[in-house]
Amino acid sequence: MNIENKIKESVAKAVKDLYGHDIKSESVQLNLTRKDQKGDYTVVVFPLLRISKKSPEETGNEIGNYLKENLSEIAVFEVIKGFLNLLLSHSYWISSLNDVKGDDDYGFVHATEESPLTMIEYSSPNTNKPLHLGHIRNNLLGYSLSRIVSVNGEKVIKTNIVNDRGIHICKSMLAWQKWGNGATPESTGKKGDHLVGDFYVKFDQEYKKEIAKLMEAGLSKEEAEAKSELMAEAREMLRKWEAKDPEVYKLWQMMNNWVYKGFDETYKALGVDFDKIYYESETYKIGKEEVLRGLEMGIFYKKEDGSVWADLTKEGLDEKLLLRSDGTSVYMTQDIGTAKMRFNDYPINNMVYVVGNEQNYHFKVLSLLLDKLGYEWGKDLVHFSYGMVELPEGKMKSREGTVVDADDLIAEMVNTARDMSKELGKLDGYTEEEAEKVYYTIAMGALKYFILKVDPKKNMTFDPRESIDFNGNTGPFIQYSYARIQSVLRKAKDKGITLPENLPGSVELSEKETQLLRMVMNFPNIVKEAGKVYSPAVLANFAYELAREFNQFYHEMPIVFEEDEAKREVRLVLSDTVGKVIKNAMWLLGIDVPERM
């Protein structure tokens, strides 16, 4: 039984023995003690006053005395108004350190065969452009979340839905057909996803020229858009694609394969992967079948032009288009098909969609439609909604070619890490090959940490140079702290000092040591909290606080050169354990930590 449950049970017993009243241990309010007060845990006494019929101070003192007499772990207590602060004994902390010191999986609860299965969808790229900064936030959040959920005792399937069909895909295809002159990734030396993205931008440029020309001839913007021949060609190409026109289909396959190859390179660079990839070109048909079934059931209705709609006004929403008048499907249709396909493939207990907050409405509608179609799991879908990511210069637009491509950003991060490391002399004495590996690890740690430390719900601005600062709340600072711990352990080994099997329980601990131990022992709660609220930021900021606390300890106290052998052993084991916790926390964020730096 962990100490928190032990304290809660003892408080419940105290209330029974002192005041003759039964309470459930879960109802006891127990918090970590505030940093400006003395103690490790704080019992909130106020809810117990109606039982004790005494003042907060008197009740706190009576329960405090009871706990001190009956719980050997309690060394001292202090009552401040309605708060009972409990200070745990040094022997308790040493015993706890002995319990966790050799556990490489400390803080993790692994799934069993009986564990629930959670599917997490992330990435969801379009095959008309390369992955960009927004996709980076999506992929990093989804991948980290999959690890967090997996160590909270659930089985996890990581999935991706590739948007490989639709009018936007046809725009790139049409532009390549008209202005590509047979260009390929090989002939241009460009990654396939970048090449296809160039033609998406080209379509938009030519479309804008056409609209401007029509408006010069006296048409309104709406009239010009309705008369656009280029857009009409793109729509016709989509219709032909859905009809499996051989020429259009062959072009689609060729250009999509270019993009998939490019995506795979970017995913590898980001260090993310998937257990299963779905393609909208395969799921949209199932979605259409479901919509037509809903039409027969009277859930949906058809307009005069042949388009199919769902009326959700009774649910406080609006009318939603599900099939266009020409029979082609929309995103919602595809998502219905994908959801059905997934639940046919896997016995999913929880379905989590990692998608930006601009799609909040979309997922409300999807949940309702699936429920209406008779799928019980529809109403339980989780939309992991996150905020947008921008650069200091402002928003990005794919159509206008003003996005920051993921590949370019990764390359820029590696260059910045290299420059800053050389400037600080961090990797003096490394071979070039060793140094390049560390530059990459630092760069990706900086990128991932800067994005994941922000509350997912908030919009954020990404500043590449600020993210690589070796001081402050950054990935490189935490990585350097881990490397520093490994350096301490190597020094001890070089001096012939080995870590003991068991630490003596009689060592007097400093406040710095107990503070580090409090944080280490709280790590399982942090992992649990991150899983409960679906937030990698909880772990990221914990890792920073732990690294910062360790650095203060490192500067204030001798470790390897401590003359008292018992104290030295405690400090070395504590350092090693802090290192393991930092490594585990960073692993949950998808971040590697270098052994030397």
Side-chain angles (χ1 to χ4, degrees), residues 118-122 139-152 154-159 273 275 354 536 587-588:
T118 296
M119 180 176 276
I120 300 176
E121 175 197 290
Y122 55 96
N139 278 279
L140 297 184
L141 283 169
Y143 189 70
S144 176
L145 188 62
S146 72
R147 286 190 165 180
I148 291 167
V149 171
S150 74
V151 300
N152 272 288
E154 294 182 33
K155 291 181 284 189
V156 173
I157 297 284
K158 298 168 290 183
T159 186
D273 58 24
D275 300 309
V354 180
W587 181 84
L588 290 171

Side-chain angles (χ1 to χ4, degrees), residues 198-345:
D198 289 346
F199 287 107
Y200 182 62
V201 173
K202 176 69 173 170
F203 178 94
D204 191 60
Q205 290 168 345
E206 296 298 327
Y207 174 65
K208 280 178 177 167
K209 283 182 199 172
E210 184 189 19
I211 297 299
K213 212 171 184 180
L214 290 167
M215 287 173 72
E216 280 171 21
L219 271 66
S220 68
K221 192 182 178 194
E222 290 74 20
E223 289 168 334
E225 286 172 351
K227 205 169 181 181
S228 164
E229 288 182 15
L230 197 58
M231 192 62 80
E233 283 184 77
R235 288 198 193 98
E236 176 60 14
M237 184 175 265
L238 177 60
R239 192 195 61 75
K240 282 183 175 179
W241 180 88
E242 291 209 4
K244 286 274 177 50
D245 177 277
E247 188 186 336
V248 170
Y249 213 75
K250 191 178 176 185
L251 173 62
W252 171 79
Q253 285 178 317
M254 178 182 75
M255 292 181 74
N256 268 356
N257 284 334
W258 294 347
V259 175
Y260 297 148
K261 194 176 174 188
F263 283 171
D264 286 346
E265 287 179 38
T266 309
Y267 288 139
K268 189 177 178 183
L270 282 173
V272 304
D273 58 24
F274 309 94
D275 300 309
K276 174 79 175 176
I277 297 180
Y278 290 90
Y279 298 90
E280 288 197 351
S281 55
E282 296 167 358
T283 65
Y284 85 100
K285 287 181 184 173
I286 297 169
K288 283 176 83 169
E289 287 166 10
E290 285 297 297
V291 169
L292 294 174
R293 182 171 72 84
L295 189 62
E296 284 176 22
M297 291 166 64
I299 298 168
F300 308 138
Y301 72 95
K302 190 180 276 192
K303 287 191 176 179
E304 286 179 14
D305 64 357
S307 58
V308 179
W309 295 71
D311 184 358
L312 302 174
T313 49
K314 285 181 182 173
E315 285 84 5
L317 304 176
D318 59 7
E319 296 183 337
K320 185 70 185 174
L321 174 68
L322 299 176
L323 283 177
R324 298 187 186 95
S325 56
D326 62 2
T328 57
S329 59
V330 294
Y331 273 130
M332 188 60 72
T333 324
Q334 293 150 195
D335 276 352
I336 291 169
T338 307
K340 185 182 178 186
M341 204 171 180
R342 284 172 174 160
F343 278 87
N344 285 344
D345 289 348

